[in-house]
Amino acid sequence: MAAPQSRAAGGQWHKHLLLSPPLAFFAAFALFPLGFTIYVSLSNWSITGEHRFIGFGNYATILASDTFRQSFLNTVVFAVVTVLLQYVLGLTLALLVYRSTRGQSALRLLLLVPMMFTPVVVGFVWKTLFDPSYGPISWLFDRVGLPQVPWFSEQLPAMAAIVIADVWQWTPFMFLILFAALRSLPTAPLEAAMVDGASGRRLLFDHMLPMLLPASMTAILLRSIEAFKLFDVVYLMTGGGPGVKTSTVTLSAYFTGLRSGDLGTAAAMTTMLLIVVLIATMVLLRLLFWAGRRRSRADDAAALQVERDDVPDPTEAVDAPVTTEVR
Amino acid sequence: METLTVTGVTKTFGGPRPAVDELSFTLGGGEFGVVVGPSGAGKTTLLNMIAGLVPPDTGEITLDGASLAGTAPERRDIAMVFENYALYPHLSVRRNLEFPLRAPVRRGTLSRSQITDRVTQVAETLRIPHLLDRLPSQLSGGQRQRVSLGRALVRRPRLLLLDEPITHLDAKLRHEMRTELKRIQRELGVTTLYATPDQSDALALADLVVVLDAGRAWQVGTAADVYERPANVTVARTLGDPRINLLPGRRDAAGVTVLGQRVDADHGPAGPVTVGVRPGDVELSTEPLAGAAAGRVLLAQTLGYQDVVYVDVEGATVRATVPAGIVARPGDPAWVRLPAARLHVFEAASGQALRHREVV
Ligand SMILES: Nc1ncnc2c1ncn2[C@@H]1O[C@H](COP(=O)(O)OP(=O)(O)OP(=O)(O)O)[C@@H](O)[C@H]1O
Ligand SMILES: [Mg+2]
């Protein structure tokens, strides 16, 4: 039947034509910048515009650079620590609000407020809060009798301050997703677990958390992608300092590319980051897929397949199954 | 052997009438109780209150003489089969069955191998050993129901609650499971309360039947009590298949008039009554019969071993069962006689029984 096929092919062709504007946009705004960045990372492009292809030279340079290595390590540490803290806090808050019988909607709204600030404001506010000389936190430490912490002049306190600011801003995101997931959990298995003798902590760890797994993975995935690109809060609070002790890959790329004018090296840095994010995303997506598949309802075809695989009960041999008689 | 008592239990969900209304009954230790009633009668609500998942508004529930109020569900040691299975979606069938035995309140009471043995044994009884490594999502409805049943039977609870545990099985399996359930219950000697809309479950299984409708217990008694001596029209209607005939009639000092015929039964003060007669007690004839009302066959259904014939008599439909093979075609004339000894008579307004069928 040639006619319907050629018609189908014609339909395909039309589809492609109709899809071409968005595809062109995608090419122009996503693929081109990506390809261009990779090209730049392989050249010695500087802000003055002169450039020459130099292969993997930039990559060799950054891998040998202590600054980049420090920035890279910081980025990973920030991503892991902030996302984990955000998850634990978000989950705790979601459970608390879920259990609370009163004021749920008010609490929900209040908890979302930090997410509505732009990162610039968040960075500025927390920088002020942590300021060693006039910041309220230093004042509070003083009042309570705790020793003064050199918030921005030593690596660990500075990193802690950044983590706190980022966690403050993004915990609401985790809270929101996990709270919605909690609300949509089926109640019957939880009731069954209670009747079967589980309570409190066991109910949470044996039943609620496993059932929350797909939502948890999704939230963690989304936050992780963002966390690897951490920039604004660091830029505003410490500027990467002291020295480059709190610098991140994005910050490092910014200074190298736009401040020092070495676009090639900066592009190599962002490409490295892209590769890492890609790998992390792939691993998390795998986990998410796996978690989702374990729970998903078998579709009808699969269920029928399952039925046919049933081992026939030997005691039922007397009543031969109807199907064998038909055959 | 724990006695369950339910005293004056009421639960309102905010609707115009309570879901469970002033319910009272006592289920003796080791007995099999069946709560039978149509959809929306309040069966699940009752079971949830006993399990501790829904607090009653008023009334008291005791098990083994001690009130359950204030005892959390996980401390009640009650097993329950949920209407919608309520399997743990993230655990395999095996882990589902193990869970009650591994639950914190019972931790350490059974060894690993004892748990495995119990699970294997229950799986064999319920014909699901080949499903142990599947996830609930990979099971058919009937298989899920059996896993759910297994999860309740795997431990030795003080009380077993079953909410329509076998309604989703095919007829053959349902009958087998019913027998099996009764056998297991006898063996374990566990006090059991079973909710079902299926009257035949009630008659087949129950030591005690609670007929529930619109949240109220219309009668509590043995299967024979509720079937032979229904206390009111609701109970008469709930039990028996095909359903009892309920016909409008009049009673006076001389007897009862029903279907235009005078029947020598239940003399009493004059007034309207509802006459109940089981289809099996109706005498049906294709020839004119003394004292019989004339009518016309509407429909004949066969149940295999017997036929149900619907006869239109003066606008009322009478169901009669006859041995299979007696040919009755729609439109055929038929005569219906209601034997006086077989009639239940209910007061028309209240539905309360005035007289029961005589048992031969
Ligand atoms: N959580 C609830 N909120 C409001 N109304 C409810 C709730 N649970 C039950 N009801 C109402 O209470 C009544 C009894 O419900 P219940 O689930 O106990 O019926 P049932 O006898 O188990 O019916 P079925 O045979 O269909 O399962 C129904 O009218 C139902 O609408
Ligand atoms: Mg129900």
Side-chain angles (χ1 to χ4, degrees), chain A residues 188-189 191-199 202 206-207 210-211 294 296-298 306-307 310-311 313 316 319, chain B residues 53 74 78 82 86-90 99-100 103-106 127 130 134-135 137-138 140 143-144 151 155 172:
Chain A
E191 288 183 340
M194 277 171 12
V195 172
D196 279 344
S199 60
R202 292 316 330 156
D206 290 351
H207 295 285
M211 288 200 263
R294 271 180 65 88
S296 70
R297 297 177 73 87
V306 162
E307 284 310 306
D310 271 6
V311 180
D313 189 325
E316 290 199 328
D319 310 38
Chain B
L53 298 170
E74 63 270 17
I78 291 174
F82 287 75
L87 299 179
Y88 307 129
H90 54 286
F99 185 80
V105 288
R106 269 173 294 278
R127 320 256 167 86
H130 57 295
R134 300 245 184 101
L135 286 171
S137 59
Q138 298 166 325
S140 75
Q143 292 170 336
R144 284 177 210 184
R151 198 173 55 184
R155 61 186 164 111
K172 174 163 160 277

Tab-separated table of all heavy atoms in Angstrom, chain A residues 188-189 191-199 202 206-207 210-211 294 296-298 306-307 310-311 313 316 319, chain B residues 53 74 78 82 86-90 99-100 103-106 127 130 134-135 137-138 140 143-144 151 155 172:
chain	number	residue	atom	x	y	z
A	188	ALA	N	-4.302	4.558	52.758
A	188	ALA	CA	-4.629	3.185	53.153
A	188	ALA	C	-3.403	2.370	53.580
A	188	ALA	O	-3.438	1.754	54.640
A	188	ALA	CB	-5.391	2.497	52.027
A	189	PRO	N	-2.293	2.370	52.816
A	189	PRO	CA	-1.146	1.577	53.267
A	189	PRO	C	-0.595	2.067	54.602
A	189	PRO	O	-0.104	1.269	55.398
A	189	PRO	CB	-0.111	1.787	52.158
A	189	PRO	CG	-0.898	2.174	50.977
A	189	PRO	CD	-2.069	2.938	51.480
A	191	GLU	N	-2.426	3.409	57.008
A	191	GLU	CA	-3.345	2.896	58.028
A	191	GLU	C	-3.085	1.418	58.272
A	191	GLU	O	-3.084	0.948	59.407
A	191	GLU	CB	-4.794	3.100	57.582
A	191	GLU	CG	-5.212	4.561	57.626
A	191	GLU	CD	-6.669	4.756	57.247
A	191	GLU	OE1	-7.225	3.843	56.595
A	191	GLU	OE2	-7.231	5.792	57.602
A	192	ALA	N	-2.851	0.692	57.178
A	192	ALA	CA	-2.571	-0.737	57.312
A	192	ALA	C	-1.313	-0.946	58.142
A	192	ALA	O	-1.266	-1.825	59.007
A	192	ALA	CB	-2.403	-1.368	55.933
A	193	ALA	N	-0.310	-0.103	57.916
A	193	ALA	CA	0.937	-0.246	58.662
A	193	ALA	C	0.708	0.019	60.143
A	193	ALA	O	1.286	-0.646	61.000
A	193	ALA	CB	1.987	0.717	58.115
A	194	MET	N	-0.173	0.973	60.443
A	194	MET	CA	-0.475	1.249	61.843
A	194	MET	C	-1.141	0.046	62.489
A	194	MET	O	-0.769	-0.379	63.572
A	194	MET	CB	-1.367	2.485	61.964
A	194	MET	CG	-0.537	3.727	61.918
A	194	MET	SD	-1.304	5.311	61.798
A	194	MET	CE	-2.946	5.257	62.076
A	195	VAL	N	-2.136	-0.510	61.789
A	195	VAL	CA	-2.827	-1.684	62.322
A	195	VAL	C	-1.843	-2.846	62.467
A	195	VAL	O	-1.909	-3.628	63.407
A	195	VAL	CB	-4.010	-2.068	61.415
A	195	VAL	CG1	-4.610	-3.389	61.849
A	195	VAL	CG2	-5.061	-0.978	61.442
A	196	ASP	N	-0.892	-2.935	61.556
A	196	ASP	CA	0.091	-4.015	61.607
A	196	ASP	C	1.158	-3.788	62.669
A	196	ASP	O	2.061	-4.600	62.821
A	196	ASP	CB	0.773	-4.180	60.237
A	196	ASP	CG	-0.088	-4.991	59.288
A	196	ASP	OD1	-1.016	-5.658	59.772
A	196	ASP	OD2	0.170	-4.957	58.075
A	197	GLY	N	1.112	-2.651	63.343
A	197	GLY	CA	1.996	-2.466	64.483
A	197	GLY	C	3.142	-1.493	64.282
A	197	GLY	O	4.090	-1.492	65.060
A	198	ALA	N	3.090	-0.681	63.233
A	198	ALA	CA	4.150	0.312	63.049
A	198	ALA	C	3.646	1.657	63.547
A	198	ALA	O	2.473	1.964	63.439
A	198	ALA	CB	4.523	0.420	61.578
A	199	SER	N	4.568	2.445	64.113
A	199	SER	CA	4.141	3.768	64.559
A	199	SER	C	5.322	4.707	64.450
A	199	SER	O	6.461	4.290	64.292
A	199	SER	CB	3.649	3.707	65.994
A	199	SER	OG	4.697	3.245	66.810
A	202	ARG	N	9.070	4.268	62.742
A	202	ARG	CA	9.060	3.125	61.822
A	202	ARG	C	8.125	3.411	60.650
A	202	ARG	O	8.399	3.092	59.516
A	202	ARG	CB	8.610	1.845	62.513
A	202	ARG	CG	9.502	1.258	63.553
A	202	ARG	CD	10.970	1.174	63.289
A	202	ARG	NE	11.434	1.029	61.934
A	202	ARG	CZ	12.639	1.400	61.536
A	202	ARG	NH1	13.466	1.978	62.392
A	202	ARG	NH2	13.030	1.212	60.310
A	206	ASP	N	9.911	3.158	57.270
A	206	ASP	CA	9.581	1.948	56.507
A	206	ASP	C	8.573	2.207	55.396
A	206	ASP	O	8.512	1.466	54.424
A	206	ASP	CB	9.004	0.862	57.436
A	206	ASP	CG	10.060	0.299	58.366
A	206	ASP	OD1	11.236	0.624	58.152
A	206	ASP	OD2	9.715	-0.439	59.301
A	207	HIS	N	7.733	3.226	55.583
A	207	HIS	CA	6.645	3.383	54.625
A	207	HIS	C	6.589	4.735	53.950
A	207	HIS	O	6.537	4.822	52.738
A	207	HIS	CB	5.310	3.070	55.296
A	207	HIS	CG	5.216	1.645	55.720
A	207	HIS	ND1	5.007	0.640	54.824
A	207	HIS	CD2	5.367	1.064	56.922
A	207	HIS	CE1	5.015	-0.516	55.463
A	207	HIS	NE2	5.228	-0.292	56.734
A	210	PRO	N	9.981	5.576	51.753
A	210	PRO	CA	10.051	4.836	50.480
A	210	PRO	C	8.982	5.283	49.484
A	210	PRO	O	9.234	5.349	48.286
A	210	PRO	CB	9.820	3.388	50.903
A	210	PRO	CG	10.214	3.334	52.324
A	210	PRO	CD	9.913	4.670	52.904
A	211	MET	N	7.786	5.607	49.989
A	211	MET	CA	6.740	6.031	49.067
A	211	MET	C	7.016	7.434	48.532
A	211	MET	O	6.517	7.811	47.481
A	211	MET	CB	5.373	5.970	49.747
A	211	MET	CG	4.892	4.542	49.955
A	211	MET	SD	3.120	4.457	50.196
A	211	MET	CE	3.012	4.391	51.953
A	294	ARG	N	9.759	0.926	40.097
A	294	ARG	CA	9.415	-0.009	41.153
A	294	ARG	C	7.977	0.183	41.616
A	294	ARG	O	7.344	-0.733	42.101
A	294	ARG	CB	10.349	0.174	42.335
A	294	ARG	CG	11.595	-0.675	42.241
A	294	ARG	CD	12.473	-0.442	43.443
A	294	ARG	NE	11.825	-0.885	44.660
A	294	ARG	CZ	11.902	-2.126	45.137
A	294	ARG	NH1	12.567	-3.024	44.488
A	294	ARG	NH2	11.307	-2.452	46.258
A	296	SER	N	5.447	1.941	39.777
A	296	SER	CA	4.411	2.199	38.789
A	296	SER	C	3.491	0.997	38.639
A	296	SER	O	3.881	-0.140	38.806
A	296	SER	CB	5.046	2.507	37.444
A	296	SER	OG	5.623	1.337	36.945
A	297	ARG	N	2.256	1.265	38.374
A	297	ARG	CA	1.306	0.181	38.149
A	297	ARG	C	1.685	-0.502	36.850
A	297	ARG	O	1.993	0.142	35.869
A	297	ARG	CB	-0.097	0.759	37.998
A	297	ARG	CG	-0.588	1.461	39.219
A	297	ARG	CD	-1.947	2.043	38.917
A	297	ARG	NE	-2.944	0.992	38.853
A	297	ARG	CZ	-3.584	0.542	39.904
A	297	ARG	NH1	-3.335	1.030	41.075
A	297	ARG	NH2	-4.488	-0.391	39.792
A	298	ALA	N	1.642	-1.795	36.865
A	298	ALA	CA	1.909	-2.509	35.625
A	298	ALA	C	0.791	-2.172	34.652
A	298	ALA	O	-0.361	-2.125	35.039
A	298	ALA	CB	1.914	-3.994	35.912
A	306	VAL	N	1.788	-11.258	33.047
A	306	VAL	CA	1.998	-11.805	34.379
A	306	VAL	C	1.014	-12.936	34.644
A	306	VAL	O	1.371	-14.003	35.125
A	306	VAL	CB	1.818	-10.670	35.421
A	306	VAL	CG1	1.586	-11.249	36.790
A	306	VAL	CG2	3.048	-9.777	35.416
A	307	GLU	N	-0.263	-12.716	34.282
A	307	GLU	CA	-1.268	-13.741	34.504
A	307	GLU	C	-0.875	-15.038	33.816
A	307	GLU	O	-1.007	-16.124	34.347
A	307	GLU	CB	-2.620	-13.288	33.951
A	307	GLU	CG	-3.310	-12.271	34.803
A	307	GLU	CD	-3.376	-12.708	36.260
A	307	GLU	OE1	-3.866	-13.800	36.533
A	307	GLU	OE2	-2.884	-11.947	37.111
A	310	ASP	N	1.560	-17.336	35.432
A	310	ASP	CA	1.197	-17.960	36.698
A	310	ASP	C	1.468	-19.454	36.679
A	310	ASP	O	1.132	-20.148	35.730
A	310	ASP	CB	-0.300	-17.756	36.983
A	310	ASP	CG	-0.517	-16.468	37.739
A	310	ASP	OD1	0.469	-15.737	37.910
A	310	ASP	OD2	-1.656	-16.214	38.138
A	311	VAL	N	2.060	-19.914	37.760
A	311	VAL	CA	2.257	-21.351	37.864
A	311	VAL	C	0.908	-21.965	38.211
A	311	VAL	O	0.282	-21.571	39.187
A	311	VAL	CB	3.261	-21.657	38.991
A	311	VAL	CG1	3.461	-23.152	39.111
A	311	VAL	CG2	4.557	-20.938	38.732
A	313	ASP	N	-1.848	-24.161	39.793
A	313	ASP	CA	-1.863	-24.854	41.063
A	313	ASP	C	-2.081	-26.346	40.819
A	313	ASP	O	-3.039	-26.723	40.147
A	313	ASP	CB	-3.002	-24.283	41.910
A	313	ASP	CG	-2.939	-24.804	43.324
A	313	ASP	OD1	-2.547	-25.968	43.522
A	313	ASP	OD2	-3.282	-24.041	44.232
A	316	GLU	N	-5.408	-27.916	41.318
A	316	GLU	CA	-6.505	-27.538	40.436
A	316	GLU	C	-6.496	-28.335	39.135
A	316	GLU	O	-7.277	-28.070	38.242
A	316	GLU	CB	-6.427	-26.047	40.114
A	316	GLU	CG	-6.760	-25.198	41.320
A	316	GLU	CD	-7.129	-23.791	40.932
A	316	GLU	OE1	-6.591	-23.287	39.939
A	316	GLU	OE2	-7.956	-23.202	41.632
A	319	ASP	N	-9.813	-29.623	37.451
A	319	ASP	CA	-10.567	-28.755	36.551
A	319	ASP	C	-9.577	-28.189	35.545
A	319	ASP	O	-8.880	-27.238	35.849
A	319	ASP	CB	-11.174	-27.552	37.289
A	319	ASP	CG	-11.925	-27.975	38.525
A	319	ASP	OD1	-11.470	-28.904	39.217
A	319	ASP	OD2	-12.955	-27.369	38.803
B	53	LEU	N	-8.668	3.418	63.783
B	53	LEU	CA	-8.291	4.386	62.748
B	53	LEU	C	-9.241	5.570	62.725
B	53	LEU	O	-8.894	6.638	62.242
B	53	LEU	CB	-8.281	3.703	61.374
B	53	LEU	CG	-7.274	2.564	61.251
B	53	LEU	CD1	-7.499	1.785	59.974
B	53	LEU	CD2	-5.856	3.100	61.309
B	74	GLU	N	-1.654	0.657	66.636
B	74	GLU	CA	-0.541	-0.295	66.604
B	74	GLU	C	-0.415	-1.085	67.900
B	74	GLU	O	0.264	-2.096	67.947
B	74	GLU	CB	0.764	0.431	66.270
B	74	GLU	CG	1.211	1.468	67.272
B	74	GLU	CD	0.662	2.860	66.963
B	74	GLU	OE1	-0.309	2.953	66.174
B	74	GLU	OE2	1.180	3.843	67.511
B	78	ILE	N	-4.746	-5.934	66.590
B	78	ILE	CA	-5.879	-6.332	65.769
B	78	ILE	C	-5.366	-6.419	64.343
B	78	ILE	O	-4.606	-5.560	63.919
B	78	ILE	CB	-7.004	-5.274	65.868
B	78	ILE	CG1	-7.617	-5.281	67.264
B	78	ILE	CG2	-8.059	-5.497	64.790
B	78	ILE	CD1	-8.618	-4.180	67.509
B	82	PHE	N	-8.076	-4.757	54.480
B	82	PHE	CA	-8.747	-3.548	54.031
B	82	PHE	C	-9.508	-3.800	52.740
B	82	PHE	O	-9.091	-4.599	51.905
B	82	PHE	CB	-7.735	-2.427	53.821
B	82	PHE	CG	-7.198	-1.871	55.102
B	82	PHE	CD1	-6.260	-2.580	55.840
B	82	PHE	CD2	-7.651	-0.664	55.586
B	82	PHE	CE1	-5.775	-2.073	57.029
B	82	PHE	CE2	-7.163	-0.149	56.768
B	82	PHE	CZ	-6.222	-0.857	57.494
B	86	ALA	N	-4.875	-2.078	50.408
B	86	ALA	CA	-3.893	-1.326	51.201
B	86	ALA	C	-2.571	-2.063	51.336
B	86	ALA	O	-1.973	-2.102	52.401
B	86	ALA	CB	-4.459	-0.998	52.591
B	87	LEU	N	-2.100	-2.662	50.248
B	87	LEU	CA	-0.788	-3.303	50.282
B	87	LEU	C	0.281	-2.221	50.300
B	87	LEU	O	0.038	-1.099	49.868
B	87	LEU	CB	-0.607	-4.202	49.059
B	87	LEU	CG	-1.618	-5.336	48.966
B	87	LEU	CD1	-1.369	-6.155	47.715
B	87	LEU	CD2	-1.556	-6.214	50.192
B	88	TYR	N	1.474	-2.583	50.780
B	88	TYR	CA	2.573	-1.621	50.762
B	88	TYR	C	3.147	-1.603	49.354
B	88	TYR	O	3.748	-2.585	48.918
B	88	TYR	CB	3.629	-2.014	51.789
B	88	TYR	CG	3.043	-2.223	53.167
B	88	TYR	CD1	3.293	-3.370	53.900
B	88	TYR	CD2	2.189	-1.277	53.720
B	88	TYR	CE1	2.733	-3.565	55.152
B	88	TYR	CE2	1.626	-1.465	54.965
B	88	TYR	CZ	1.903	-2.608	55.673
B	88	TYR	OH	1.340	-2.788	56.902
B	89	PRO	N	2.982	-0.510	48.630
B	89	PRO	CA	3.317	-0.514	47.203
B	89	PRO	C	4.812	-0.684	46.943
B	89	PRO	O	5.197	-1.161	45.887
B	89	PRO	CB	2.837	0.855	46.721
B	89	PRO	CG	2.765	1.702	47.935
B	89	PRO	CD	2.453	0.791	49.074
B	90	HIS	N	5.645	-0.320	47.925
B	90	HIS	CA	7.087	-0.335	47.695
B	90	HIS	C	7.727	-1.630	48.167
B	90	HIS	O	8.931	-1.784	48.084
B	90	HIS	CB	7.717	0.852	48.412
B	90	HIS	CG	7.360	0.883	49.871
B	90	HIS	ND1	6.112	1.254	50.316
B	90	HIS	CD2	8.059	0.553	50.971
B	90	HIS	CE1	6.071	1.160	51.631
B	90	HIS	NE2	7.232	0.736	52.061
B	99	PHE	N	5.834	-8.062	57.034
B	99	PHE	CA	5.838	-6.822	57.805
B	99	PHE	C	5.172	-6.915	59.178
B	99	PHE	O	5.755	-6.500	60.180
B	99	PHE	CB	5.246	-5.661	57.002
B	99	PHE	CG	5.369	-4.370	57.737
B	99	PHE	CD1	6.563	-3.674	57.733
B	99	PHE	CD2	4.319	-3.880	58.496
B	99	PHE	CE1	6.714	-2.521	58.467
B	99	PHE	CE2	4.465	-2.718	59.223
B	99	PHE	CZ	5.656	-2.033	59.205
B	100	PRO	N	3.960	-7.476	59.264
B	100	PRO	CA	3.317	-7.536	60.576
B	100	PRO	C	4.157	-8.294	61.605
B	100	PRO	O	4.103	-7.995	62.797
B	100	PRO	CB	2.017	-8.284	60.304
B	100	PRO	CG	1.779	-8.150	58.862
B	100	PRO	CD	3.118	-8.039	58.209
B	103	ALA	N	7.106	-5.964	62.643
B	103	ALA	CA	6.753	-4.635	63.154
B	103	ALA	C	7.342	-4.427	64.543
B	103	ALA	O	7.523	-5.387	65.292
B	103	ALA	CB	5.236	-4.488	63.198
B	104	PRO	N	7.675	-3.185	64.864
B	104	PRO	CA	8.355	-2.882	66.127
B	104	PRO	C	7.692	-3.500	67.358
B	104	PRO	O	8.384	-4.017	68.219
B	104	PRO	CB	8.287	-1.358	66.198
B	104	PRO	CG	8.154	-0.907	64.798
B	104	PRO	CD	7.468	-1.994	64.046
B	105	VAL	N	6.346	-3.483	67.405
B	105	VAL	CA	5.703	-3.985	68.619
B	105	VAL	C	5.902	-5.486	68.800
B	105	VAL	O	5.720	-6.022	69.881
B	105	VAL	CB	4.188	-3.677	68.650
B	105	VAL	CG1	3.956	-2.209	68.887
B	105	VAL	CG2	3.498	-4.161	67.413
B	106	ARG	N	6.253	-6.178	67.707
B	106	ARG	CA	6.441	-7.622	67.832
B	106	ARG	C	7.885	-8.030	67.611
B	106	ARG	O	8.185	-9.204	67.462
B	106	ARG	CB	5.549	-8.351	66.818
B	106	ARG	CG	4.201	-8.703	67.379
B	106	ARG	CD	3.329	-9.258	66.304
B	106	ARG	NE	3.042	-8.239	65.311
B	106	ARG	CZ	2.103	-7.326	65.436
B	106	ARG	NH1	1.353	-7.316	66.507
B	106	ARG	NH2	1.885	-6.430	64.502
B	127	ARG	N	-2.646	-19.892	48.016
B	127	ARG	CA	-2.246	-20.186	46.635
B	127	ARG	C	-1.469	-19.036	45.998
B	127	ARG	O	-1.728	-18.672	44.855
B	127	ARG	CB	-3.471	-20.457	45.754
B	127	ARG	CG	-4.546	-21.250	46.403
B	127	ARG	CD	-4.536	-22.671	45.897
B	127	ARG	NE	-5.358	-23.513	46.736
B	127	ARG	CZ	-6.668	-23.661	46.565
B	127	ARG	NH1	-7.277	-23.067	45.580
B	127	ARG	NH2	-7.349	-24.443	47.370
B	130	HIS	N	3.894	-18.547	44.284
B	130	HIS	CA	4.636	-18.152	43.081
B	130	HIS	C	4.659	-16.640	42.901
B	130	HIS	O	5.277	-16.138	41.979
B	130	HIS	CB	4.035	-18.811	41.853
B	130	HIS	CG	2.572	-18.501	41.663
B	130	HIS	ND1	1.607	-18.904	42.547
B	130	HIS	CD2	1.932	-17.820	40.702
B	130	HIS	CE1	0.427	-18.487	42.139
B	130	HIS	NE2	0.583	-17.818	41.020
B	134	ARG	N	6.970	-10.696	43.634
B	134	ARG	CA	6.402	-9.603	42.835
B	134	ARG	C	6.121	-8.393	43.718
B	134	ARG	O	5.988	-8.503	44.923
B	134	ARG	CB	5.060	-10.044	42.237
B	134	ARG	CG	5.159	-11.247	41.350
B	134	ARG	CD	4.810	-10.864	39.926
B	134	ARG	NE	4.811	-12.049	39.095
B	134	ARG	CZ	3.696	-12.676	38.740
B	134	ARG	NH1	2.517	-12.226	39.126
B	134	ARG	NH2	3.758	-13.744	37.980
B	135	LEU	N	5.943	-7.264	43.014
B	135	LEU	CA	5.459	-6.076	43.707
B	135	LEU	C	3.940	-6.041	43.575
B	135	LEU	O	3.394	-6.587	42.615
B	135	LEU	CB	6.059	-4.819	43.080
B	135	LEU	CG	7.521	-4.557	43.402
B	135	LEU	CD1	8.051	-3.421	42.551
B	135	LEU	CD2	7.695	-4.229	44.876
B	137	SER	N	2.036	-3.916	42.471
B	137	SER	CA	1.576	-3.364	41.198
B	137	SER	C	1.572	-4.410	40.097
B	137	SER	O	0.993	-4.199	39.047
B	137	SER	CB	2.463	-2.191	40.796
B	137	SER	OG	3.795	-2.628	40.678
B	138	GLN	N	2.227	-5.523	40.318
B	138	GLN	CA	2.291	-6.557	39.286
B	138	GLN	C	1.282	-7.668	39.526
B	138	GLN	O	1.408	-8.745	38.962
B	138	GLN	CB	3.702	-7.152	39.254
B	138	GLN	CG	4.760	-6.130	38.893
B	138	GLN	CD	6.151	-6.619	39.186
B	138	GLN	OE1	6.368	-7.332	40.156
B	138	GLN	NE2	7.097	-6.248	38.359
B	140	SER	N	-2.892	-9.074	39.936
B	140	SER	CA	-4.285	-8.806	39.578
B	140	SER	C	-5.059	-8.477	40.854
B	140	SER	O	-4.569	-8.688	41.956
B	140	SER	CB	-4.889	-10.030	38.909
B	140	SER	OG	-5.156	-11.020	39.875
B	143	GLN	N	-5.474	-11.351	43.211
B	143	GLN	CA	-4.204	-11.732	43.842
B	143	GLN	C	-3.849	-10.759	44.953
B	143	GLN	O	-3.396	-11.143	46.026
B	143	GLN	CB	-3.092	-11.773	42.793
B	143	GLN	CG	-3.271	-12.903	41.802
B	143	GLN	CD	-2.323	-12.814	40.621
B	143	GLN	OE1	-1.845	-11.736	40.282
B	143	GLN	NE2	-2.063	-13.945	39.992
B	144	ARG	N	-4.098	-9.474	44.694
B	144	ARG	CA	-3.840	-8.473	45.733
B	144	ARG	C	-4.691	-8.760	46.965
B	144	ARG	O	-4.239	-8.651	48.095
B	144	ARG	CB	-4.190	-7.083	45.232
B	144	ARG	CG	-3.155	-6.548	44.290
B	144	ARG	CD	-3.543	-5.202	43.751
B	144	ARG	NE	-2.980	-5.079	42.423
B	144	ARG	CZ	-3.044	-4.002	41.670
B	144	ARG	NH1	-3.676	-2.940	42.109
B	144	ARG	NH2	-2.498	-3.981	40.498
B	151	ARG	N	-1.641	-11.104	54.803
B	151	ARG	CA	-0.970	-10.206	55.734
B	151	ARG	C	-1.697	-10.180	57.085
B	151	ARG	O	-1.093	-9.954	58.120
B	151	ARG	CB	-0.918	-8.801	55.133
B	151	ARG	CG	0.084	-7.917	55.767
B	151	ARG	CD	0.200	-6.626	55.040
B	151	ARG	NE	-1.099	-5.970	54.929
B	151	ARG	CZ	-1.304	-4.838	54.268
B	151	ARG	NH1	-0.307	-4.251	53.659
B	151	ARG	NH2	-2.500	-4.293	54.201
B	155	ARG	N	-0.141	-13.374	61.293
B	155	ARG	CA	0.119	-13.292	62.726
B	155	ARG	C	-1.086	-13.813	63.497
B	155	ARG	O	-2.102	-14.153	62.920
B	155	ARG	CB	0.448	-11.863	63.119
B	155	ARG	CG	-0.625	-10.855	62.852
B	155	ARG	CD	-0.044	-9.487	63.178
B	155	ARG	NE	-0.812	-8.408	62.630
B	155	ARG	CZ	-1.509	-7.561	63.391
B	155	ARG	NH1	-1.567	-7.723	64.682
B	155	ARG	NH2	-2.161	-6.558	62.829
B	172	LYS	N	-15.642	-19.296	41.884
B	172	LYS	CA	-15.100	-20.577	42.350
B	172	LYS	C	-14.106	-20.356	43.483
B	172	LYS	O	-14.190	-20.972	44.543
B	172	LYS	CB	-14.420	-21.265	41.167
B	172	LYS	CG	-13.689	-22.531	41.497
B	172	LYS	CD	-13.417	-23.323	40.230
B	172	LYS	CE	-12.310	-24.317	40.397
B	172	LYS	NZ	-10.985	-23.730	40.224
